[in-house]
Amino acid sequence: MLSFYFTTVGFYCCSMLTVFAVYLYLYGRVYLALSGLEKELLNNPAIYDTKALQAALASQSMVQMGFLMALPMIMVIGTENGFHNALFDFVVMQLQLAPVFFTFQLGTKAHYYCKTLLHGGAKYMGTGRGFVVVHAKFVENYRMYSYSHFFKAFELMILLLAYHMFGNPYMGAVTHFLVTFSIWFMVGSWLFAPFIFNPSGFEWHSIMDDWKDWKKWIYDYDFGELAIRPENSWVSWWEEEQEQIKHSGKLSRFIEIVSALRFFVFPYGLVYQLTPFENNHSVWVCVCSWLPSLVVILTMIVEKLLKIIPVPVPKSWRNADPDRTNSQVCFRIAKVAMFLTIMAIFIYILFFRLLTLNDIYVCTLAFISNGWGMLLTFTVMP
């Protein structure tokens, strides 16, 4: 077993299963909180006052804190160099943020191993290490770690925020901290490790240079001479990320679509937590919750049509700006009209107190989840 773990794919398989366990655990807790089942379980004396369950949860929390996981390392170093040196090395590793680095490394191995199992295309990923330690730009960090770390960290963070809103009121602060601490630590490591270990990552001059490069990388999408490489355009980077999916089989695409369904189940539970629908559990509430997403899709279609279909405009507008085409004028008018409409609806909702600020926050989480789920689904479809 040890030879399988250290000399073949056992370590990568363990990393993937560890991340899967975090996802299953957090999604399970969130679904229990949204459904109200967790509250009923905690308020039931037959379950809440179980001493054996409390002891099991206490030991689990200690493992999540990481102390027992570090015990084998301390024992190995202690038998080789003495336990005094082992404790000293352990403290030094904590000061050097070794847990942050290895948690980030866990996400890297889990992502690429799972992606290779589904779609194939294993290849060597260059580390980019040179003879001199140099500052890595934000664009480079985003290209390298967005799919493997940043997107997943934001997903876990949204789940944790939802669990904090709907699971914390009937749970003690200490219990809530022990349940979510390790996942918050993983989210922080996946989001900030590339910047913490980046030389000159927080210098103001480097931040401003990274911001200029980021804007150039975002707005250079015309596929000119400099927009061919992924380092110069986000469009090229996006196509390079989807290249592996284009050559995958039907089973791999089906698994990706099934895994993307979690982004639609999560908003289904959030909708029934809104103030107007607390006592209404009809399925039509969930159906109506898709209306904002459909409006956004129709808006994008209309914008696309306005860019390519010539629309007649008054002659006085064309004389004011001869270089502006009819489609550009109508496109900007449509954008202004949509912005004013959205603002009017938002003010109307707040003025008549149809939704509270907390409800708008919940709607934002549901809208982000729906949008990302549709994007992943459309990307995988042939």
Side-chain angles (χ1 to χ4, degrees):
M1 293 297 294
L2 290 177
S3 62
F4 171 77
Y5 185 83
F6 287 105
T7 61
T8 56
V9 297
F11 177 67
Y12 299 95
C13 183
C14 179
S15 301
M16 182 183 68
L17 294 177
T18 302
V19 176
F20 279 174
V22 173
Y23 270 83
L24 291 175
Y25 174 76
L26 185 55
Y27 268 103
R29 299 296 298 236
V30 171
Y31 291 156
L32 287 176
L34 293 177
S35 64
L37 183 59
E38 187 179 40
K39 181 178 180 180
E40 296 297 330
L41 292 176
L42 292 178
N43 292 332
N44 189 352
I47 298 176
Y48 187 77
D49 294 334
T50 304
K51 301 300 181 181
L53 181 61
Q54 293 178 1
L57 291 177
S59 61
Q60 177 193 13
S61 301
M62 291 300 296
V63 173
Q64 287 180 350
M65 297 289 284
F67 295 119
L68 295 180
M69 301 296 289
L71 186 60
M73 180 196 68
I74 296 177
M75 296 300 296
V76 171
I77 300 178
T79 54
E80 294 179 353
N81 302 323
F83 288 100
H84 180 270
N85 294 329
L87 292 176
F88 179 78
D89 292 341
F90 177 75
V91 173
V92 171
M93 290 179 65
Q94 307 310 309
L95 296 177
Q96 293 175 344
L97 300 180
V100 177
F101 174 80
F102 288 110
T103 303
F104 187 84
Q105 188 185 52
L106 173 71
T108 305
K109 297 181 182 298
H111 171 76
Y112 286 103
Y113 183 70
C114 180
K115 187 177 180 180
T116 305
L117 284 180
L118 284 177
H119 308 291
K123 61 180 180 179
Y124 172 75
M125 299 293 294
T127 59
R129 293 176 296 178
F131 294 101
V132 181
V133 178
V134 295
H135 172 75
K137 297 183 178 180
F138 178 77
V139 173
E140 183 178 356
N141 286 329
Y142 186 84
R143 289 192 304 104
M144 294 293 295
Y145 308 120
S146 57
Y147 257 93
S148 58
H149 296 83
F150 295 159
F151 295 163
K152 291 181 173 59
F154 274 110
E155 178 186 355
L156 295 176
M157 183 173 65
I158 289 176
L159 293 174
L160 286 170
L161 292 175
Y163 186 68
H164 177 74
M165 294 175 59
F166 304 110
N168 193 33
Y170 52 85
M171 186 184 299
V174 177
T175 304
H176 185 77
F177 173 77
L178 294 176
V179 167
T180 60
F181 168 77
S182 58
I183 306 179
W184 274 116
F185 181 80
M186 176 180 287
V187 170
S189 300
W190 285 4
L191 284 178
F192 300 108
F195 310 105
I196 294 175
F197 296 104
N198 189 15
S200 304
F202 297 99
E203 291 185 358
W204 182 250
H205 180 71
S206 301
I207 294 175
M208 295 305 297
D209 290 341
D210 290 346
W211 173 246
K212 294 178 182 177
D213 293 335
W214 167 259
K215 291 194 297 182
K216 183 179 179 181
W217 187 69
I218 289 294
Y219 291 111
D220 283 349
Y221 54 87
D222 295 331
F223 292 99
E225 183 179 356
L226 297 177
I228 297 176
R229 297 175 59 84
E231 294 85 356
N232 300 317
S233 173
W234 72 269
V235 178
S236 302
W237 164 77
W238 177 261
E239 292 186 348
E240 183 185 52
E241 289 291 332
Q242 308 307 319
E243 189 68 25
Q244 195 173 11
I245 301 178
K246 295 179 181 179
H247 303 284
S248 60
K250 295 181 180 180
L251 180 60
S252 301
R253 294 176 183 269
F254 177 75
I255 294 175
E256 287 282 359
I257 294 174
V258 171
S259 65
L261 293 179
R262 67 185 188 272
F263 295 104
F264 304 116
V265 179
F266 174 62
Y268 177 78
L270 289 178
V271 169
Y272 295 102
Q273 305 298 326
L274 300 177
T275 303
F277 310 120
E278 286 181 343
N279 300 321
N280 188 0
H281 299 288
S282 175
V283 70
W284 291 106
V285 175
C286 182
V287 173
C288 294
S289 66
W290 278 85
L291 291 178
S293 300
L294 295 178
V295 170
V296 172
I297 295 175
L298 292 177
T299 302
M300 295 173 62
I301 295 174
V302 171
E303 288 184 356
K304 190 68 175 179
L305 293 177
L306 288 175
K307 287 183 178 180
I308 61 178
I309 297 178
V311 181
V313 296
K315 185 177 180 181
S316 58
W317 293 3
R318 295 196 302 268
N319 294 334
D321 192 355
D323 296 332
R324 183 179 298 174
T325 62
N326 298 349
S327 299
Q328 290 176 341
V329 174
C330 294
F331 175 69
R332 296 189 178 184
I333 293 176
K335 289 180 66 175
V336 173
M338 287 184 291
F339 174 76
L340 294 178
T341 303
I342 293 173
M343 291 301 299
I345 295 174
F346 183 76
I347 294 173
Y348 176 82
I349 290 174
L350 291 181
F351 182 78
F352 289 97
R353 297 181 179 180
L354 300 178
L355 296 175
T356 63
L357 292 177
N358 189 29
D359 293 335
I360 295 177
Y361 175 70
V362 173
C363 291
T364 303
L365 296 181
F367 182 76
I368 293 174
S369 181
N370 270 335
W372 186 245
M374 288 189 293
L375 180 62
L376 290 180
T377 304
F378 295 150
T379 302
V380 175
M381 286 183 177

